[in-house]
Amino acid sequence: MQRSGIKLHHLAAAQAIVAAIIVGGVAVRVLLGSPGTWQSGQAIVVAGVGLIVMVYYFTAHRALRANHERVSTLALMALSSLNIAFIISITGGLDSPYYSVWLFGILLFGLISVPIGGGLLGITLLAYVIQYAETGFNKAFVVSHVGQAAITVAVFLMAAWVHRTIGLSDDADSKLQQLSGQLEGELSK
């Protein structure tokens, strides 16, 4: 249990670092007056959600991690994912240069929880279907995005396989605790 707890702690810290990078990037973009597709309101939303993630990490997460680290880390990841999804949506949708960050999110969610990672994959595939419908069911869309969709599914399947193989599931943690208790009982005899 402690082994996966350490990983969750690092994952939560990584979410705060990514949020800080996003906030810093938006600040530099605004200060330099960088032209682009972002409106000032969009930049405020992106920076605001990044600040919320950072504040959550340094306050609520630290208070909750003793008893509810997994749930708190998933909450951090959900907030970060919403921010990344918003960035992707305003920078080209499925053709966004930031789509690879979304793949990383699917990988991380899948490693922590296969059902949640599967849900994120389902939302992503739904985005493909919606964008396909928006193009008037254009075959060129399918041809240009089938590889990207296949990679997205493959990333989730790899995460699910690693989750089950390495034993990052709650089942493995409970079995380990049970065996540890049995071993302690035998040693105390």
Side-chain angles (χ1 to χ4, degrees), residues 8 23 25 28 31 37 39 44 48 58 78 81 86 94 98 102 105 118 134 139 150 164 166 171 174 181 183:
L8 290 176
V23 170
V28 167
L31 290 174
T37 58
Q39 304 294 327
I44 290 170
F58 288 109
S81 294
F86 184 68
L94 297 173
Y98 302 103
W102 190 253
E134 287 176 352
K139 290 181 184 176
R164 295 191 199 296
I166 294 179
D171 232 8
S174 64
L183 182 60

Side-chain angles (χ1 to χ4, degrees), residues 13-85:
Q15 297 301 312
I17 291 168
V18 167
I21 290 169
I22 289 172
V23 170
V26 169
V28 167
R29 185 181 183 105
V30 169
L31 290 174
L32 294 178
S34 176
T37 58
W38 293 24
Q39 304 294 327
S40 61
Q42 293 170 330
I44 290 170
V45 169
V46 169
V49 174
L51 286 172
I52 290 169
V53 169
M54 290 169 48
V55 168
Y56 179 87
Y57 174 76
F58 288 109
T59 57
H61 178 73
R62 291 182 179 246
L64 294 172
R65 74 178 179 200
N67 296 321
H68 305 287
E69 185 173 32
R70 184 178 215 161
V71 172
S72 184
T73 302
L74 285 171
L76 269 169
M77 289 177 65
L79 284 170
S80 294
S81 294
L82 285 174
N83 209 16
I84 292 167

Side-chain angles (χ1 to χ4, degrees), residues 29-166:
R29 185 181 183 105
V30 169
L31 290 174
L32 294 178
S34 176
T37 58
W38 293 24
Q39 304 294 327
S40 61
Q42 293 170 330
I44 290 170
V45 169
V46 169
V49 174
L51 286 172
I52 290 169
V53 169
M54 290 169 48
V55 168
Y56 179 87
Y57 174 76
F58 288 109
T59 57
H61 178 73
R62 291 182 179 246
L64 294 172
R65 74 178 179 200
N67 296 321
H68 305 287
E69 185 173 32
R70 184 178 215 161
V71 172
S72 184
T73 302
L74 285 171
L76 269 169
M77 289 177 65
L79 284 170
S80 294
S81 294
L82 285 174
N83 209 16
I84 292 167
F86 184 68
I87 291 169
I88 290 169
S89 73
I90 63 176
T91 58
L94 297 173
D95 296 321
S96 170
Y98 302 103
Y99 184 79
S100 60
V101 177
W102 190 253
L103 290 176
F104 189 62
I106 290 173
L107 177 71
L108 292 177
F109 271 108
L111 288 173
I112 291 177
S113 170
V114 172
I116 293 173
L120 194 58
L121 174 66
I123 290 168
T124 306
L125 294 177
L126 181 62
Y128 278 99
V129 170
I130 290 169
Q131 195 163 349
Y132 179 52
E134 287 176 352
T135 65
F137 302 101
N138 186 344
K139 290 181 184 176
F141 176 84
V142 174
V143 171
S144 65
H145 290 87
V146 71
Q148 183 181 11
I151 291 169
T152 303
V153 172
V155 164
F156 168 72
L157 292 174
M158 281 190 324
W161 177 77
V162 168
H163 180 86
R164 295 191 199 296
T165 303
I166 294 179

